Amino acid sequence: MVDKKPVILLCLVALIAISPLVIYSGLGEDEGYFGGADGAASEIIEETGYKPWFSSIWEPPSGEIASLLFSLQAAIGGIIIGYVLGYYNGQAKEKKKMDETERNVSNAK
């Protein structure tokens, strides 16, 4: 008997991935569908007449550099989170292994 659960999950994932493409087909950033929250927020802020009271010390020379720095930041965050999760997972495995060893020693007596 074939397990249907993975097939159903794959179908749901495909449905979730494809449905936005079908719903917004032919419509792009000009219509504002993929503009993002940053663009919408900056438009609202500009409408209020707000003027920034300082400017950044350094701005990346291009969008690619900004994307690179953002990716680097995400990678460093991912490494830190992975390290912490791996550390606690390793501690739990070691504790389980020590408990089994103690149990085997006490059963052998």
Side-chain angles (χ1 to χ4, degrees):
M1 178 120 190
V2 176
D3 190 15
K4 294 180 181 178
K5 189 175 178 181
V7 175
I8 292 171
L9 289 174
L10 283 174
C11 289
L12 284 174
V13 168
L15 181 68
I16 290 170
I18 292 172
S19 61
L21 299 174
V22 172
I23 292 170
Y24 296 117
S25 68
L27 302 175
E29 289 185 28
D30 295 337
E31 287 82 20
Y33 290 108
F34 297 108
D38 291 342
S42 66
E43 284 180 18
I44 292 172
I45 290 171
E46 287 174 5
E47 287 175 3
T48 63
Y50 172 79
K51 293 185 180 187
W53 54 278
F54 76 98
S55 62
S56 300
I57 297 172
W58 179 78
E59 290 190 21
S62 67
E64 289 83 13
I65 299 295
S67 296
L68 172 73
L69 293 174
F70 183 76
S71 311
L72 187 64
Q73 179 184 6
I76 290 171
I79 289 170
I80 291 171
I81 290 171
Y83 175 78
V84 169
L85 291 176
Y87 178 77
Y88 285 114
N89 190 22
Q91 275 190 335
K93 282 183 180 178
E94 187 65 28
K95 184 178 179 186
K96 186 177 178 181
K97 191 176 176 181
M98 289 178 68
D99 288 345
E100 277 185 27
T101 305
E102 287 179 12
R103 195 174 313 130
N104 289 339
V105 169
S106 65
N107 287 341
K109 290 181 182 177

